[in-house]
């Protein structure tokens, strides 16, 4: 653990609150000292003594850094530099995980569990608007970021729209890029639902977490520009490695938030 020793100090007569100044100083110190994921940060007493601020100011600063995903505080152990989380902008664009990881400069890996053509069963057939028993291509993968398992995904696509896709190597590259370039698909919109769940045993095994650990489950149907379903997928993301940023727009001059009620004991599909 490196003791904070940066030249920057709190400016007492500044209009900028102490905790904001301290936050800037600590971020600069972290960068200057080259601290990386897992490195221990300085203790509250050390920070307080070094920069001449109260413990309450230090706690407020650390709370902001934790909320922003810069640090992680572990009870009984201390404060550590946190790992990067994948962000999902749900209202910006429709893109695959491969493109998102590339945009963040992260290495995305894919472990293919199965890929095959199978008869469509419910609810796949309903959501893809095909007849039950109609051939669909099914792809199941575990996606990893920087060598860590991050997401378990399963996709279903009507086979008639993607002839020969079952022969493709999905251990590298992007499914969505393949759909665009080889099959000429143009994406229109997607309908998605997100819920927090406890990790089932099988998914927990694939993601390297304990059974019952918090996961984010996404269910989605992707449509082309004509409103015809392209893909149905279910993804389970590790809760400690994911964050979803949602932009709220305005309808008829008013900001609106839609709520979905699920009755206790009922199925969420």
């Amino acid at each position: 653990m490196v003791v904070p020793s940066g030249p920057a100090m709190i400016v007492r007569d500044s209009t900028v609150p102490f905790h904001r100044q301290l936050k800037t100083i600590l971020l600069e110190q972290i960068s200057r000292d080259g601290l990386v994921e897992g490195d221990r940060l300085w203790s509250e007493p050390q920070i307080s003594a070094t920069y001449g601020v109260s413990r309450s100011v230090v706690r407020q600063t650390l709370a902001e850094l934790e909320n922003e995903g810069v640090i992680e505080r572990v009870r009984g152990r201390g404060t550590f530099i946190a790992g990067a989380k994948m962000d999902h902008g749900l209202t910006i664009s429709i893109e695959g995980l491969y493109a998102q990881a590339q945009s963040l400069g992260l290495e995305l890996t894919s472990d293919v569990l199965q890929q095959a053509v199978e008869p469509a069963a419910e609810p796949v057939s309903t959501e893809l608007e095909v007849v039950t028993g109609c051939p669909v291509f099914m792809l199941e993968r575990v996606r990893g970021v920087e060598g860590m398992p991050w997401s378990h995904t399963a996709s279903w696509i009507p086979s008639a729209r993607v002839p020969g896709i079952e022969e493709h190597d999905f251990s590298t590259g992007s499914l969505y890029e393949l759909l665009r370039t080889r099959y000429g698909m143009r994406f229109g919109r997607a309908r998605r639902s997100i819920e927090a769940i406890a990790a089932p045993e099988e998914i927990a095994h694939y993601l390297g977490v304990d059974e019952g650990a918090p996961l984010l489950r996404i269910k989605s149907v992707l449509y082309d520009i004509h409103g015809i379903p392209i893909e149905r997928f279910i993804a389970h993301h590790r809760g400690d490695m994911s964050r979803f940023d949602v932009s709220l727009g305005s309808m008829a001059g008013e900001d609106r938030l839609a709520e979905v009620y699920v009755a206790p004991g009922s199925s969420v599909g």
Side-chain angles (χ1 to χ4, degrees), residues 1-263:
M1 179 176 65
V2 180
V3 176
S5 57
M9 297 298 292
I10 299 295
V11 179
R12 302 291 168 179
D13 58 356
S14 172
T15 58
V16 179
F18 285 178
H19 75 278
R20 293 284 178 81
Q21 293 188 54
L22 182 59
K23 177 181 173 182
T24 299
I25 291 171
L26 292 182
L27 287 172
E28 292 175 349
Q29 184 76 32
I30 289 170
S31 176
R32 185 164 54 248
D33 290 347
L35 300 186
V36 297
E37 177 182 352
D39 285 346
R40 185 189 294 272
L41 196 67
W42 321 288
S43 67
E44 287 186 11
Q46 285 178 314
I47 297 173
S48 176
T50 299
Y51 298 108
V53 293
S54 67
R55 293 282 292 276
S56 63
V57 169
V58 175
R59 282 192 289 269
Q60 185 177 3
T61 302
L62 295 181
E64 286 193 9
L65 291 175
E66 185 174 34
N67 289 338
E68 293 173 8
V70 176
I71 63 172
E72 179 181 9
R73 291 187 285 184
V74 181
R75 183 181 297 274
R77 293 184 55 203
T79 303
F80 302 86
I81 303 298
K85 293 189 176 183
M86 286 285 286
D87 288 348
H88 294 256
L90 297 184
T91 61
I92 298 174
S93 64
I94 299 171
E95 57 180 1
L97 301 184
Y98 186 82
Q100 291 175 348
Q102 279 193 322
S103 69
L104 294 172
L106 300 174
E107 179 185 5
L108 181 70
T109 58
S110 296
D111 182 10
V112 179
L113 302 179
Q114 61 173 317
Q115 60 181 85
V117 175
E118 61 183 29
E122 290 291 347
V124 173
S125 57
T126 295
E127 294 189 339
L128 290 180
E129 299 178 11
V130 297
V131 177
T132 299
C134 178
V136 293
F137 170 67
M138 190 274 186
L139 175 64
E140 182 183 10
R141 294 178 289 179
V142 173
R143 320 301 297 277
V145 175
E146 300 294 296
M148 291 284 291
W150 168 57
S151 173
H152 173 275
T153 65
S155 297
W156 294 264
I157 303 171
S159 293
R161 303 197 66 173
V162 287
I165 195 173
E166 66 273 14
E167 302 299 329
H168 186 77
D169 179 10
F170 285 100
S171 62
T172 60
S174 165
L175 169 62
Y176 283 8
E177 184 64 18
L178 182 70
L179 295 179
R180 280 190 288 255
T181 57
R182 177 182 293 184
Y183 297 102
M185 294 188 184
R186 298 174 62 189
F187 303 156
R189 62 183 178 88
R191 173 172 52 84
R192 291 183 176 178
S193 65
I194 304 174
E195 61 181 319
I197 68 165
E201 181 180 1
E202 183 179 18
I203 301 297
H205 170 73
Y206 288 136
L207 296 182
V209 298
D210 293 333
E211 183 178 358
L215 301 180
L216 291 173
R217 178 165 65 189
I218 305 175
K219 294 183 179 181
S220 175
V221 178
L222 173 64
Y223 300 83
D224 66 17
I225 59 173
H226 304 294
I228 300 173
I230 293 174
E231 176 209 30
R232 188 243 190 187
F233 86 78
I234 298 178
H236 293 88
H237 296 268
R238 283 178 51 161
D240 61 339
M241 294 178 65
S242 304
R243 183 180 71 217
F244 291 84
D245 295 331
V246 181
S247 298
L248 299 180
S250 178
M251 297 177 61
E254 298 180 1
D255 289 332
R256 298 185 180 181
L257 177 63
E259 293 184 272
V260 178
Y261 172 72
V262 179

